[in-house]
Amino acid sequence: MSGQIRQDAAGFSNRSGSSPISSGFGSEQHRLEIGAMFAMDVPHERNQQRQPVERDNDKIPVNNFLLLKHIKEDPDVEGGVLLVGTFKQTVCCSQATENHDDDGNFYFPYRINEENANESNGRVTLRDGDNNGAVYETSFNVLAPLEIDTVLDYFPFRIDKATITIELGTKTNKKTKTKLHPELHLNMQAKPSNIRIQSPDEGISTHEIKSKMDRSTNYDFVTPFPKIRYYVKNKSCSKFSVTFYLVDSGFSKFVTTIVPLILVFFMNLINCLFNEDMDSHDYLGNAATFALTVVFLLGRVVTKTRMENGINTNSLYILLIFISLMLCSIPARLHQKLRYRTYTCDWKKENLDIQKCFVNPVPAQVGTCIFLFSFLIPFGHFMLYFKKKREIRNGSPPKEFFDQTTSIIRYKCSKPNAAERYKECFKPAASLIEEGNQIKGYVVEEKEAKIRYIRYMPLSEYIPSLEKKY
């Protein structure tokens, strides 16, 4: 009947002759307005909450080649060193055409040691660039400080590690305002195509490479071949580090500190031998001279560190020397002076034999023995220093990983089919984790829950014939 009101199962009314109802609960717009549930005939997908989708398209493949030239002193930082080198960033990105700079270059910004690196601070300066519309190559000059941390500090020997951490920052798409994240890619066919040491002008031996790399007067290389580590977080990699091990020359400290201390010990020994026959004033004058000399020399034993080390063998060495000097400074006739200080001069002249019974050189002799015993500490330090240097050399990557005389596949974007060749030449660094440990000369480490490390295989484990190819 026209105009008749019909009541539906949910208690909502609708006049006959109106538009058909697709569901027993009313139209979709009506249901959304009143908060009613969907009917059973509505597709199930519409009743599910939309899940976030990982945007892999925003991960841009980037290969960052690093050429290591040399290190030198940092004139602005006491004890600091600078790395001189070259970056070459190769980016394969279809979105680069609308996001390049005014000069037609497209590259990701750098962060070195957790700080921005650009032309304003002089750490990274743009040199030149090239592209073919799909692949962009950009070169940079690098002059960046290394972070110094002490690995071994046993007087007179000290080993420091100098690390540079390089991270690629993000860019923003100018059109869509989305973030473009760099995904570090490696040349799996030749490691020198990722990080390489500039060859010397003459020869390619380790000694000549060390001479070429070392432009510092304060440090020497334990080995010129650095430890390389890539950081993988959430299956993505945009950060890596390069670590050198440097020696604060122990031989120079030996000549300027240990040899003079040996001389002081020898002179102090002679002084103690004549302790019983010398006048106390003369003996104390000699002992004071030796003590002042040692105070001047021992200033080289304690070195500056970022963290307080507390009591160690260096502190023990200083303590033993000062205890020995205090004992050696006691005249043999000190007890005689204290025992008969109230007697008259006439009595002292008449009882010389009794006074001689109270001459006591034992404290000075004990001090001399302690002084001699203290030299065992630098000798033990030498043994530990030699052992640590051997461990560092064996733990560093082999020379073949940085030698440009080996077969290197050089990628150039100017050649045809640049994008296709890019995919063949470079692979994501994070893909090494899926390949497993010790693949292609890499070792995978897992030290934290969300971060995994990929490092170059050490020399002690490297066997060229067993290295797998990609």
Side-chain angles (χ1 to χ4, degrees), residues 6-24:
R6 296 181 301 175
Q7 192 77 16
D8 60 6
F12 304 116
S13 60
N14 187 22
R15 296 184 179 276
S16 62
S18 61
S19 59
I21 302 175
S22 60
S23 171

Side-chain angles (χ1 to χ4, degrees), residues 262-302:
I262 294 175
L263 177 61
V264 171
F265 166 76
F266 182 74
M267 299 298 295
N268 188 60
L269 176 63
I270 296 176
N271 193 49
C272 290
L273 291 176
F274 291 95
N275 191 3
E276 301 180 39
D277 303 324
M278 289 179 63
D279 181 74
S280 297
H281 296 87
D282 295 337
Y283 182 84
L284 284 173
N286 294 337
T289 302
F290 299 148
L292 291 175
T293 305
V294 169
V295 168
F296 173 75
L297 293 174
L298 290 183
R300 302 171 178 267
V301 177
V302 181

Side-chain angles (χ1 to χ4, degrees), residues 278-384:
M278 289 179 63
D279 181 74
S280 297
H281 296 87
D282 295 337
Y283 182 84
L284 284 173
N286 294 337
T289 302
F290 299 148
L292 291 175
T293 305
V294 169
V295 168
F296 173 75
L297 293 174
L298 290 183
R300 302 171 178 267
V301 177
V302 181
T303 55
K304 295 180 180 180
T305 57
R306 293 191 301 174
M307 298 181 64
E308 183 64 33
N309 294 327
I311 301 299
N312 52 28
T313 53
N314 291 344
S315 304
L316 178 62
Y317 181 57
I318 296 175
L319 185 63
L320 288 176
I321 289 181
F322 275 106
I323 291 175
S324 68
L325 289 176
M326 285 189 291
L327 293 175
C328 290
S329 65
I330 299 176
R333 300 179 182 274
L334 177 65
H335 187 68
Q336 179 190 98
K337 182 73 174 177
L338 297 175
R339 179 70 176 79
Y340 298 104
R341 66 182 183 275
T342 59
Y343 288 83
T344 62
C345 295
D346 295 335
W347 186 92
K348 293 179 181 179
K349 293 179 181 179
E350 295 173 358
N351 298 274
L352 293 176
D353 295 337
I354 297 176
Q355 296 181 53
K356 289 181 180 180
C357 295
F358 291 92
V359 175
N360 186 10
V362 174
Q365 293 172 357
V366 173
T368 304
C369 294
I370 294 176
F371 203 153
L372 178 62
F373 174 77
S374 67
F375 287 111
L376 294 177
I377 294 180
F379 178 77
H381 286 176
F382 171 75
M383 303 300 293
L384 294 174

Side-chain angles (χ1 to χ4, degrees), residues 65 198 331 345:
F65 168 73
Q198 190 178 49
C345 295

Side-chain angles (χ1 to χ4, degrees), residues 20 75 122 185 191 195 201 235 237 335 382 397 421 438 456 463:
H185 281 50
K191 293 179 184 63
I195 299 175
D201 295 334
K235 299 181 180 181
C237 177
H335 187 68
F382 171 75
R421 289 187 296 104
Q438 299 183 1
Y456 278 9
I463 302 177

